[in-house]
Amino acid sequence: MQQAPQPTKLAERIGSLDFLRGIAILGILVMNIEAFSYPEPMSPFKYGFESEVDRTVRFWVYFLAQGKFFSMFTLLFGVGFYIFLERLEKKNYGLRAMDIYARRLLWLFIFGIFHAYLIWNHDVLYHYAACGFFLFPFRTFRIRQLLVTLLVPVGILLYHSWTTTSENRKQQQDYNRLIQIGESRRSEEDRGKIARWEDKTREKESEVWDRVIPRQSLVESWKANARYTRVHEGKIFYHFAFFRTFMMMLLGVLLYKSGIFRDYRKYRYYWGFTGSLLLFALVINYLWYEHQTYAYFKPVTGIWKGLLTTFHSEALGVSYVLILNGLYQKYLDKLKFKPLSMAGKMALTNYISQSIICGLVFYGYGFAQFNRYSRSELLLWVGGIWTVQLIISSLWMRHFSQGPLEWLWRKLTYRSFN
């Protein structure tokens, strides 16, 4: 009789991956907390700007964190799912390996649905699960084949950036042409184009306080989540996020197959490549977020700037992965106390618990601290939640091999509670 699959043993775990997951899951909170605390969290001028310090803080937060840890988390999900399937296939489970893999994704999808509808509507788990099904056909691809496959989402995203920038450029050219025409000779359509461009390029004023505290009850929160999530209407993927997610997951598989997570030293130019990528990523991120923070009212009309900044978050996210992977293997692998690695082993539990904590702190059904803090003050909450999660993760992992939700996920996947 074939032995039932067991959780990954400590000796089988790749230490750098747990460490990277810990960094990614904590880093994600830096951005996610804004969605709990402000009406329009991504706005570069509304809410949370009580002084020029807050604008500077916002620049550095977005420059170093926005999209970067999400990219890391996505890449590591791709790695994790590939390792899971690889280990099942090595144990000769045959078609049963496909069944277990599919059930694992299905239960992650269900976790994501519960999270999205009952706790927070910006969940990524069900989106990851749906994307995970697309990874299966590529598990046998070699590195060169994966590189060729990556050209598809890369090309689609570059085309999207090109069309968006070209549209901005056309609107600017139309505006410059139309203002040369006498007002009496302009049509209604001409006047509409002029008004839309002037509104688009007008610097906005900061709005410090919105008196409406959302989600006064759990029922109200559930209704708001349903209005946004809309999986019940068949909307499974986030708008245009599929290609970025699939690209990063596939890149995760590629990097794992390269062997860098076990020993980066096999690549002579690892640090040279990593340093070059980091420098490039920092430059394009600076260009993007300097514009988005201080000149957000000026649409990007330069084609090259639009194309160069298409993958600003992904480039810096991959740089973080490569740097931290190398540093872990070189300096941290032998340490006994690894709180970040403990947090990484409980990534699913910590992700969901971050949403629970933030909901209780900021929404009306909890302590109603919504829109009460400036951008700089909000970082204190981030540090506090990090501290709590690192302590709890370290204490929990002293006594258990998995986090509570990780344990439940495994049990549901293998259909056994014995």
Side-chain angles (χ1 to χ4, degrees):
M1 183 176 178
Q2 200 172 50
Q3 185 180 3
Q6 298 296 319
T8 304
K9 296 178 181 178
L10 185 61
E12 295 178 321
R13 296 191 73 91
I14 301 174
S16 61
L17 292 178
D18 289 328
F19 175 70
L20 289 168
R21 286 192 193 98
I23 297 286
I25 198 63
L26 295 179
I28 281 174
L29 177 65
V30 177
M31 299 310 307
N32 283 356
I33 197 170
E34 291 189 356
F36 285 94
S37 54
Y38 300 125
E40 296 180 40
M42 299 292 288
S43 172
F45 65 92
K46 286 185 177 181
Y47 310 110
F49 298 102
E50 296 181 359
S51 69
E52 193 60 32
V53 172
D54 294 309
R55 195 171 298 278
T56 302
V57 167
R58 196 260 186 192
F59 166 76
W60 284 104
V61 166
Y62 276 65
F63 174 50
L64 296 174
Q66 205 284 323
K68 286 70 175 179
F69 296 105
F70 174 78
S71 295
M72 286 181 65
F73 200 47
T74 307
L75 185 152
L76 293 168
F77 252 83
V79 173
F81 277 117
Y82 180 81
I83 291 174
F84 178 81
L85 188 58
E86 180 187 55
R87 284 173 175 159
L88 290 178
E89 291 182 333
K90 283 182 177 178
K91 293 175 182 177
N92 298 316
Y93 283 105
L95 291 177
R96 191 176 176 217
M98 297 172 60
D99 179 45
I100 296 171
Y101 177 79
R103 272 188 274 137
R104 183 171 174 83
L105 289 175
L106 176 62
W107 281 112
L108 181 66
F109 184 86
I110 293 172
F111 279 175
I113 293 299
F114 274 97
H115 183 218
Y117 279 90
L118 300 181
I119 303 172
W120 189 47
N121 50 264
H122 291 282
D123 170 82
V124 296
L125 298 179
Y126 70 81
H127 175 79
Y128 279 176
C131 291
F133 281 102
F134 288 86
L135 282 181
F136 190 81
F138 302 98
R139 71 195 187 282
T140 58
F141 276 33
R142 296 177 180 176
I143 290 178
R144 188 171 297 178
Q145 293 172 308
L146 290 171
L147 284 170
V148 172
T149 305
L150 279 169
L151 293 177
V152 176
V154 167
I156 291 171
L157 292 167
L158 285 172
Y159 175 74
H160 177 70
S161 291
W162 178 78
T163 55
T164 301
T165 309
S166 298
E167 180 60 28
N168 288 337
R169 193 182 187 90
K170 182 179 182 302
Q171 290 176 7
Q172 184 186 48
Q173 291 170 344
D174 287 345
Y175 174 80
N176 292 335
R177 176 178 56 82
L178 291 172
I179 59 173
Q180 301 300 322
I181 301 174
E183 191 170 345
S184 60
R185 295 169 54 198
R186 297 173 189 166
S187 66
E188 279 296 320
E189 183 181 357
D190 293 341
R191 284 191 282 271
K193 289 180 178 179
I194 291 172
R196 284 191 294 272
W197 183 257
E198 289 180 343
D199 181 67
K200 194 174 187 177
T201 56
R202 175 176 54 84
E203 188 170 5
K204 279 74 172 180
E205 295 181 0
S206 175
E207 298 179 29
V208 177
W209 173 245
D210 189 328
R211 294 185 179 277
V212 178
I213 304 293
R215 306 175 187 241
Q216 293 292 328
S217 68
L218 282 173
V219 172
E220 184 182 329
S221 182
W222 296 339
K223 289 179 179 178
N225 290 338
R227 285 194 299 271
Y228 183 91
T229 305
R230 300 170 69 185
V231 173
H232 58 283
E233 296 178 6
K235 298 185 183 297
I236 295 174
F237 298 106
Y238 285 123
H239 177 64
F240 220 78
F242 169 76
F243 296 108
R244 290 189 185 275
T245 305
F246 177 68
M247 177 184 71
M248 293 306 294
M249 286 185 173
L250 210 58
L251 184 58
V253 174
L254 187 154
L255 291 177
Y256 173 73
K257 287 195 169 197
S258 74
I260 65 165
F261 296 120
R262 293 188 183 277
D263 186 6
Y264 76 89
R265 298 171 187 85
K266 63 192 291 188
Y267 292 96
R268 181 179 178 185
Y269 300 107
Y270 181 89
W271 286 112
F273 175 81
T274 299
S276 300
L277 179 61
L278 176 64
L279 180 61
F280 172 74
L282 288 172
V283 169
I284 61 175
N285 272 273
Y286 180 84
L287 288 173
W288 180 254
Y289 286 109
E290 193 274 339
H291 183 98
Q292 292 298 315
T293 302
Y294 301 106
Y296 60 87
F297 49 90
K298 297 178 182 178
V300 176
T301 56
I303 299 296
W304 279 109
K305 185 174 183 179
L307 292 176
L308 273 175
T309 55
T310 301
F311 304 108
H312 58 276
S313 294
E314 290 81 5
L316 195 50
V318 174
S319 299
Y320 288 169
V321 167
L322 295 177
I323 291 169
L324 294 168
N325 175 64
L327 291 175
Y328 178 87
Q329 291 183 39
K330 193 168 185 178
Y331 300 110
L332 306 177
D333 188 27
K334 302 302 181 183
L335 294 179
K336 292 184 178 180
F337 181 57
K338 301 177 182 178
L340 288 169
S341 296
M342 299 302 102
K345 290 178 181 179
M346 294 176 55
L348 177 61
T349 299
N350 282 323
Y351 175 68
I352 299 293
S353 64
Q354 285 175 3
S355 298
I356 294 172
I357 293 169
C358 289
L360 290 172
V361 170
F362 295 104
Y363 288 155
Y365 62 74
F367 295 101
Q369 296 300 299
F370 184 79
N371 206 14
R372 295 277 185 178
Y373 299 96
S374 68
R375 300 274 170 161
S376 51
E377 291 170 337
L378 202 60
L379 294 180
L380 299 175
W381 277 103
V382 172
I385 295 172
W386 281 355
T387 302
V388 170
Q389 291 200 310
L390 286 171
I391 291 172
I392 292 176
S393 296
S394 298
L395 292 174
W396 181 275
M397 295 306 297
R398 285 184 184 179
H399 305 285
F400 303 98
S401 62
Q402 297 173 299
L405 288 184
E406 286 76 10
W407 174 85
L408 179 61
W409 189 15
R410 184 186 72 84
K411 288 297 184 180
L412 290 170
T413 297
Y414 298 127
R415 298 179 180 172
S416 172
F417 281 85
N418 296 323

